[in-house]
Amino acid sequence: IESMEVMKLKDALKNNILLFDGAMGTELNKYGLLTGESPEIFNITHPEIIREIHKKYIDAGCDIVTANTFGANEYKLSGSNVEDVVLAAVKNAREAGAKYVALDVGPIGELLAPMGTLSFERAYEIFKRQILAGVSAGVDLILIETISDLYEAKAAILAAKENCNLPVICTMTFEQGGRTFLGTDAITAAITLSSLGVDAAGVNCSLGPKELLPVVKIFTEYADCPIIVQPNAGLPRIEGDTAIYDITPSEFVKPIMEMADMGVTIFGGWCGTDPEFIREIRKNIVKIGRAS
């Protein structure tokens, strides 16, 4: 049975313009996260940093805070307890003042068979554990993102829908040719994700908003659910070990507003975006409505 809060959030996803936050990983780099270090472990070792980043996004106007749980699965967290990390992440988001907290579920980090060795059943169980940890910690919705393999997306969506009644969102990541790294095209992704009954589907990561416009247009035409877009801050250039993003918040928001005209209703940012990007989106989309 769905609670009133769950029903209210599902209704908001369907009928409101909603704004997620921006990047966590590239923000943590500014606070000293080193290449190869686990961002999720910062929930426990540096909770004050995680809370500060969340609070900056809340102050910038985001409606939904994404918990720092992207890689908080048992495959990536070898040696750490999934439940402890997820609980700490959700606690940090709440203490920062988040009204709604999304459990961030990223790819497992191992290819599913037949491309790799991970079975569908095992992937399902890995996702299920992370999702149940999020439900136990009190998240408000499940955000499955940065998926390249439609088969993996299906495992994650089923694990979410069969083990909780929270809203489920799923986004895939596309290359410049309009397909995911494993070859899924936008039409197939849009139809499949929406047919699996997600509350919103769309794209995140990999490209900037301008480069994502053709893919987003396809999603608005073929997906039978609300559309979410969380782009990178343009295409990075690499200097040494560092990815540099040159796009400004005002340049970022122009194609975002084109997407709003196409019918996209849920926005946010990914790699390279920061609270200023979220503030700029808020400033523009406030003209066409916002979450209550």
Side-chain angles (χ1 to χ4, degrees):
I1 300 170
E2 291 184 353
S3 68
M4 286 299 291
E5 274 302 307
V6 169
M7 289 170 66
K8 187 177 172 187
L9 183 52
K10 284 189 175 182
D11 184 66
L13 287 166
K14 200 178 291 183
N15 298 307
N16 293 60
I17 299 285
L18 288 171
L19 185 55
F20 275 79
D21 48 14
M24 174 59 76
T26 46
E27 285 302 285
L28 280 174
N29 292 147
K30 299 174 187 176
Y31 287 84
L33 176 73
L34 301 174
T35 303
E37 277 192 295
S38 167
E40 293 78 23
I41 299 302
F42 262 54
N43 290 308
I44 294 169
T45 58
H46 299 85
E48 71 290 346
I49 292 175
I50 303 299
R51 288 196 296 266
E52 185 176 336
I53 293 170
H54 285 322
K55 187 169 188 316
K56 285 180 178 178
Y57 281 125
I58 293 166
D59 292 345
C62 78
D63 300 303
I64 301 170
V65 167
T66 309
N68 181 30
T69 57
F70 180 75
N73 63 63
E74 60 190 74
Y75 180 84
K76 285 186 176 172
L77 283 181
S78 52
S80 301
N81 188 292
V82 171
E83 289 73 19
D84 290 346
V85 172
V86 170
L87 182 63
V90 177
K91 186 168 179 276
N92 290 333
R94 292 287 183 209
E95 289 183 358
K99 180 181 179 183
Y100 292 121
V101 178
L103 178 74
D104 195 8
V105 179
I108 291 169
E110 180 68 42
L111 289 175
L112 270 69
M115 301 285 286
T117 57
L118 189 68
S119 72
F120 183 87
E121 292 74 21
R122 181 75 186 110
Y124 177 98
E125 290 301 322
I126 291 171
F127 285 128
K128 177 182 175 181
R129 181 177 178 187
Q130 185 180 2
I131 287 156
L132 288 177
V135 172
S136 177
V139 297
D140 301 293
L141 67 156
I142 311 297
L143 174 65
I144 301 157
E145 59 180 0
T146 326
I147 307 292
S148 295
D149 182 355
L150 204 50
Y151 201 36
E152 185 174 17
K154 184 177 180 181
I157 292 166
L158 291 178
K161 292 184 72 65
E162 290 174 0
N163 292 283
C164 73
N165 64 0
L166 300 178
V168 178
I169 294 174
C170 185
T171 58
M172 298 191 74
T173 181
F174 290 83
E175 310 281 305
Q176 280 189 288
R179 291 177 178 268
T180 71
F181 176 67
L182 290 180
T184 302
D185 65 271
I187 294 175
T188 304
I191 293 170
T192 305
L193 294 180
S194 56
S195 70
L196 285 166
V198 294
D199 294 276
V203 299
N204 81 300
C205 190
S206 67
L207 301 171
K210 186 178 175 185
E211 294 79 18
L212 279 176
L213 279 168
V215 171
V216 171
K217 187 171 191 302
I218 289 169
F219 263 81
T220 61
E221 290 169 358
Y222 287 91
D224 187 24
C225 62
I227 307 301
I228 173 172
V229 183
Q230 301 206 72
N232 283 356
L235 296 167
R237 54 186 171 82
I238 307 299
E239 289 189 3
D241 291 334
T242 310
I244 308 294
Y245 294 87
D246 291 321
I247 191 172
T248 65
S250 58
E251 289 169 331
F252 182 88
V253 86
K254 284 175 187 171
I256 289 288
M257 295 311 291
E258 285 184 56
M259 293 175 191
D261 289 340
M262 289 178 191
V264 177
T265 56
I266 309 169
F267 297 99
W270 238 74
C271 296
T273 62
D274 61 28
E276 288 310 310
F277 284 76
I278 301 308
R279 185 171 282 109
E280 190 69 20
I281 301 174
R282 168 56 69 212
K283 195 168 77 181
N284 282 271
I285 67 171
V286 77
K287 301 164 192 169
I288 49 176
R290 66 168 294 171
S292 54

